[in-house]
Amino acid sequence: MKIQCPKCLPKEGIECPDFSTSEKDKLSEMVKNNPMKGMMYLREQHMLSLHDAKYIVLHINEKTGHCNRCNFDNLKGEYINCPKCRAFNFNWM
């Protein structure tokens, strides 16, 4: 799946792996505790570049339903651009 954040990436965006539910849970927990572990996991398991792994880690929501950039608190959907600031969010439950 192609994802794009108008706030931090050029128009072409990046190709994002299709994460399983267990991977989403694992990554969310890793990012909360140690973002570097999350980047290392993505690089090793999905063969992503450092740039793409860092992009994904930085866009995983710290709190479900809240935008990481502007803290808008009513995000709906798992892969969403914030309706307030347009930043991309991995809004995993």
Side-chain angles (χ1 to χ4, degrees), residues 18-75:
D18 186 22
F19 298 112
S20 68
T21 303
S22 62
E23 274 187 310
K24 291 175 188 177
D25 293 340
K26 185 176 185 174
L27 277 168
S28 293
E29 197 59 38
M30 272 188 213
V31 169
K32 285 178 188 173
N33 297 322
N34 187 343
M36 283 300 292
K37 273 191 172 182
M39 284 192 285
M40 289 170 52
Y41 173 84
L42 289 169
R43 294 199 67 202
E44 291 169 4
Q45 298 300 313
H46 294 281
M47 304 307 169
L48 294 176
S49 68
L50 178 60
H51 174 268
D52 291 357
K54 183 178 178 182
Y55 173 85
I56 290 171
V57 165
L58 290 174
H59 288 81
I60 294 173
N61 288 24
E62 293 174 17
K63 188 174 179 184
T64 303
H66 289 254
C67 176
N68 275 344
R69 187 167 192 269
C70 73
N71 211 24
F72 177 79
D73 66 353
N74 196 20
L75 293 178

Side-chain angles (χ1 to χ4, degrees), residues 1-6 9-17 19 52 55-56 59 79-81 88-90:
M1 151 181 36
K2 190 88 116 168
I3 56 174
Q4 194 263 338
C5 179
L9 273 181
K11 291 181 182 177
E12 66 270 5
I14 67 165
E15 194 62 40
C16 179
F19 298 112
D52 291 357
Y55 173 85
I56 290 171
H59 288 81
Y79 303 91
I80 186 167
N81 287 84
F88 183 80
N89 288 269
F90 288 99

